[in-house]
Amino acid sequence: MLMLGFAGFMGLLKIVLMALAAFALFDAAFRREDAFRAAGKQTKVFWLVILGIALVVSYLFSILSILPAAGAVASIVYLVDVRPAVRALTGGNRGGWGRGKGRGGSSSDGPYGPYGPYNGGR
């Protein structure tokens, strides 16, 4: 019974690591190439190769081996260090994917946009 629970936990951990690597890979794929070089974080191709290998390794090998752990470290380094630097250079999600701050507006807009009572009621 205990081994069944351990195997279930390890299976969930493997799925989480694969999802982490897949998210990092897709995020890197949709970022601009020049932003990677401008941020001084290697190149886009480098990160695509590393994250692709991390995804394949996390799928093929047991979670208890060293290769999926190295892939998890690579994915975490991308998400914690590289992604914020690249996003800062591209202005949030512009050049990336998804919805975000790229819709216009000013940083001085209140909760009602540029026409709210806090902005002179323009």
Side-chain angles (χ1 to χ4, degrees), residues 2 4 14 25 28 37 39 48 54-55 57 74 88-89 92 106 115-117:
L2 184 62
L4 184 62
K14 185 172 185 167
L25 177 66
R37 286 182 276 125
L48 289 175
L55 181 62
V57 162
L89 290 175
S106 170
Y115 305 105

Side-chain angles (χ1 to χ4, degrees), residues 30-111:
F30 287 104
R31 299 287 171 192
R32 292 179 17 201
E33 166 67 33
D34 59 341
F36 285 87
R37 286 182 276 125
K41 302 293 182 184
Q42 295 294 328
T43 63
K44 180 177 180 174
V45 174
F46 172 83
W47 283 107
L48 289 175
V49 168
I50 293 295
L51 296 170
I53 290 171
L55 181 62
V56 169
V57 162
S58 65
Y59 175 73
L60 291 179
F61 291 94
S62 168
I63 196 71
L64 296 175
S65 70
I66 192 73
L67 293 176
V73 168
S75 300
I76 291 169
V77 166
Y78 174 81
L79 292 173
V80 173
D81 183 40
V82 178
R83 184 175 185 245
V86 171
R87 284 184 71 184
L89 290 175
T90 57
N93 278 337
R94 281 180 268 148
W97 55 285
R99 295 178 297 220
K101 297 180 182 178
R103 291 176 274 166
S106 170
S107 62
S108 65
D109 290 346

